[in-house]
Amino acid sequence: MLGAIIGDIVGSRWEFNPTNDYNFEWLSKENSFTDDTICTVAIADALIHHRDFGESMHDWCNRYPHPMGGYGGRFAQWVHSNNPQPSNSFGNGAAMRVSPVAYWYEYIDDVLDAAAATAIPTHNHDEGIKGAQTVALAIFRALQFNKKSYQSAPMHIDEILQECVQFSGYDINMPKASVLNRFDETCQGTVPVALKIISMATDFVDAVRLAVSLGADADTLGAIVGSMAEAIWGLPSGVMFNVSDMLPEEMQHVYAEFRHKRPWIIKKLIDTTFYRKEFSEAAWDLLEDGDREELRDIVDNVKNEKRKLMAERGKARDNW
């Protein structure tokens, strides 16, 4: 959930001022949350308090009627309507807000049903629903791998993506030239690109940088990629705390309550990136003694294999 919010805030500055610089400034005074964050918080709030998804989104969006970047045309009409109805939309807004449901349910059928339910109030076109379900599926599978064998999701990215492709029918082998600097607000134009980025990324920050520097719909692509990347790699502690401080207090409260009810939303070992030779001592200090020794053994066993995978993904990026 927080990965989606981070991706949104980091990409917000570049939504209408696109960049292809991978080393763009991560955060500045020009960054803020957009409708992507508001809707993600609304979905989490609905799950916590057993509210209708559409009712919760309508409520939260009206609390923040003028977010950075505003609301898109038909969605803006929905927000300001006294009797909001879906408009058969297949916009990528259905996919950027769905991440909380993947943490909330134990079984994949429930996740997929809930993902559809988050889309339908505004994006009831089949492509909108499929986009939301595909992102939720990727997150759920990554969480399953990490629960089964600690921090193992990065070793199974190809399996996760293969299942998402089989489920959706998306082609994620598009040439970079076909999506570079192309502002596409549809699910079918955004979710496959997000999956492609995950296939080439090596950690959370790398994934968000790849998404934002594509010069596309930076905040929403960042949110979708960030939501999946969080489940796979976890969140570097500095990134997590810096961005969460940019949220209004009531949004921070929803996130804290969601985390309390679903404690695995934050992995015990927060800083889990491929490019570091060792895990940071600050991260190790979060663990109990027994967990620390067990994880050191796991790290030693998989370190070389992870390095090989990083090199392979680097080659894929060079050839994209």
Side-chain angles (χ1 to χ4, degrees), residues 107-284:
Y107 300 107
I108 186 58
D109 288 345
D110 294 331
V111 170
L112 295 177
D113 288 346
T118 67
I120 287 172
T122 56
H123 295 65
N124 58 332
H125 190 284
D126 287 347
E127 289 291 345
I129 294 170
K130 183 173 72 175
Q133 289 179 317
T134 302
V135 173
L137 172 61
I139 297 169
F140 182 78
R141 290 304 186 209
L143 294 173
Q144 281 192 316
F145 278 118
N146 280 331
K147 288 178 184 178
K148 185 182 300 183
S149 178
Y150 199 83
Q151 300 297 335
S152 68
M155 313 294 288
H156 298 279
I157 291 174
D158 292 338
E159 295 172 54
I160 294 167
L161 295 178
Q162 182 179 12
E163 184 172 357
C164 289
V165 167
Q166 289 176 342
F167 172 81
S168 65
Y170 290 144
D171 179 5
I172 66 171
N173 295 313
M174 75 291 292
K176 185 176 183 178
S178 69
V179 294
L180 182 67
N181 298 324
R182 181 184 176 190
F183 195 96
D184 191 325
E185 295 182 288
T186 68
C187 271
Q188 58 269 39
T190 306
V191 178
V193 179
L195 296 173
K196 177 67 175 179
I197 288 170
I198 291 294
S199 78
M200 299 182 295
T202 58
D203 63 81
F204 176 84
V205 173
D206 181 50
V208 173
R209 285 195 176 278
L210 288 173
V212 173
S213 63
L214 193 63
D217 188 359
D219 62 323
T220 300
L221 183 58
I224 295 170
V225 168
S227 69
M228 294 187 285
E230 175 190 11
I232 295 169
W233 290 287
L235 299 174
S237 54
V239 169
M240 180 178 68
F241 294 126
N242 289 341
V243 173
S244 62
D245 287 344
M246 299 176 70
L247 297 177
E249 185 174 345
E250 64 176 349
M251 291 189 186
Q252 293 187 41
H253 178 74
V254 170
Y255 176 71
E257 191 172 2
F258 192 88
R259 179 181 174 183
H260 176 72
K261 291 181 177 292
R262 293 296 183 269
W264 57 86
I265 191 172
I266 293 292
K267 298 177 186 178
K268 285 192 287 186
L269 188 60
I270 297 173
D271 200 347
T272 58
T273 51
F274 275 158
Y275 64 82
R276 299 185 189 276
K277 293 182 180 179
E278 301 291 344
F279 294 117
S280 70
E281 289 306 313
W284 286 116

